[in-house]
């Protein structure tokens, strides 16, 4: 095991993960807990995977499917049915990539942009609900600690995960 890995008990053995992998797993676990706990996205037909793909595409307009799959940490095979469903629902469009005839660029439609606005409102409501149990001081402390963590994680010599 490398010094930058942690061993996590996994059945009868251990699973060795790097710190960026652990961070990604924790973030995904938090996101999924919020989705399950609040259920608001599901009530609107939005799965965690749909929300992640739509918001990532909003942040990275005209991305290729392969690039989105890499950013989301999924295989090309896993992203294709999701893209197909979002395209079928009229939320995204596929356009041929002018620089690579085998690839497609994805864009949000007007309905897709409307979904982004809806997602942002739901995220704000969920955040308000979650943080309402914390005092203002606890919220400030959490913000300070998360900023320090992110600064340290992205500091000199650290790769962005």
């Amino acid at each position: 095991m490398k010094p930058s890995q942690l061993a996590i008990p996994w059945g009868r053995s251990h699973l060795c993960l790097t710190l960026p992998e652990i961070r990604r797993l924790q973030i995904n676990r938090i996101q999924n807990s919020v989705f399950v706990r609040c259920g608001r996205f599901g009530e609107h037909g939005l799965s965690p995977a749909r929300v992640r793909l739509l918001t990532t595409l909003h942040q990275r307009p005209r991305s290729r499917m392969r690039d989105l799959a890499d950013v989301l940490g999924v295989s090309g095979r896993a992203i294709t049915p999701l893209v197909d469903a979002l395209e079928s629902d009229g939320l995204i469009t596929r356009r041929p990539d002018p620089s690579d005839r085998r690839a497609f660029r994805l864009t949000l439609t007007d309905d897709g942009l409307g979904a982004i606005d809806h997602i942002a409102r739901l995220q704000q409501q969920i955040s308000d609900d979650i943080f309402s149990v914390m005092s203002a001081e606890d919220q400030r402390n959490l913000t300070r600690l998360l900023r320090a963590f992110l600064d340290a994680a992205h500091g000199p010599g650290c790769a962005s995960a």
Side-chain angles (χ1 to χ4, degrees), residues 43-86:
E43 293 169 8
H44 296 273
L46 296 167
S47 68
R50 281 178 157 237
V51 170
R52 286 184 66 213
L53 193 141
L54 288 170
T55 55
T56 302
L57 184 56
H58 186 251
Q59 295 164 353
R60 298 166 182 260
R62 299 187 35 76
S63 290
R64 290 184 294 178
M65 287 176 55
R66 176 76 256 157
D67 297 334
L68 284 175
D70 289 344
V71 169
L72 296 172
V74 299
S75 69
R77 260 192 247 194
I79 202 168
T80 300
L82 185 57
V83 168
D84 290 345
L86 291 171

